[in-house]
Amino acid sequence: MTPLPNPDTIQKEYPCHIARNVAASTITTGLLLSVLGIWSILEEQSYWPWVILVVGGFLFLLSGLNVIRKTPKNPRLIITETHLYLPSWEKATYVKVAFSEITEIILAKRLRGQELLLTGKEWIPHISSMALPSKDSFNEIVNIIRERTNLQT
């Protein structure tokens, strides 16, 4: 587990909603499969609708439990003079990234917002504009990373 920086060294921090997008998509999938299963049960009398219902219900419950278990408490993106601390839903902790280790910055447009993809020696989680409080926060983070790395998107 990556320890968080000393509060005196934090220059900027932004609250994140990292689990919101993951939870929404998985819960929606599970819910839709459950509804499809119930509808299929009412329409025909075979065992396939029951399979769909069980799989949908399982995905629905699993996603909720996963989000609760794996989301760091009070997730936030933290910037110090030399490092970026990114909350990671996959690792249930923070990923510490030195600005000096970032080799490429890619700004990608998505259906609902933008993503900042950073390349380096190790795996770096992406930064989604949807997980941050505002577009201005996202743009500010992009500019800070550009300044600290001397890289352009």
Side-chain angles (χ1 to χ4, degrees):
M1 183 169 158
T2 303
L4 291 176
N6 181 331
D8 296 335
T9 64
I10 296 175
Q11 294 181 335
K12 288 270 190 183
E13 59 184 310
Y14 304 87
C16 294
H17 312 285
I18 57 172
R20 179 177 60 190
N21 297 335
V22 174
S25 62
T26 312
I27 288 172
T28 302
T29 301
L31 203 54
L32 286 174
L33 282 174
S34 297
V35 169
L36 178 65
I38 291 169
W39 177 73
S40 297
I41 288 168
L42 296 174
E43 291 295 318
E44 60 181 77
Q45 298 296 324
S46 71
Y47 68 92
W48 282 110
W50 290 101
V51 172
I52 293 171
L53 178 63
V54 168
V55 170
F58 178 73
L59 277 176
F60 181 74
L61 291 174
L62 183 66
S63 63
L65 291 173
N66 226 3
V67 167
I68 292 168
R69 186 176 66 89
K70 287 197 159 200
T71 302
K73 301 298 179 229
N74 189 23
R76 57 199 192 279
L77 186 145
I78 300 170
I79 297 174
T80 65
E81 183 67 36
T82 57
H83 289 86
L84 185 63
Y85 291 81
L86 300 167
S88 170
W89 186 80
E90 290 87 1
K91 296 186 177 189
T93 184
Y94 285 83
V95 175
K96 179 180 176 182
V97 181
F99 288 113
S100 60
E101 291 181 4
I102 297 173
T103 57
E104 185 180 16
I105 300 172
I106 302 167
L107 194 57
K109 288 193 182 273
R110 299 288 185 233
L111 188 59
R112 294 181 59 205
Q114 293 181 305
E115 281 186 324
L116 181 63
L117 309 169
L118 304 172
T119 307
K121 295 178 188 174
E122 309 247 342
W123 174 79
I124 303 174
H126 69 275
I127 302 169
S128 172
S129 64
M130 295 300 297
L132 294 165
S134 68
K135 273 187 179 179
D136 292 337
S137 303
F138 180 77
N139 292 331
E140 188 176 351
I141 291 166
V142 170
N143 290 331
I144 290 170
I145 293 172
R146 282 178 180 155
E147 289 171 10
R148 305 271 168 93
T149 61
N150 292 322
L151 296 171
Q152 296 298 314
T153 53

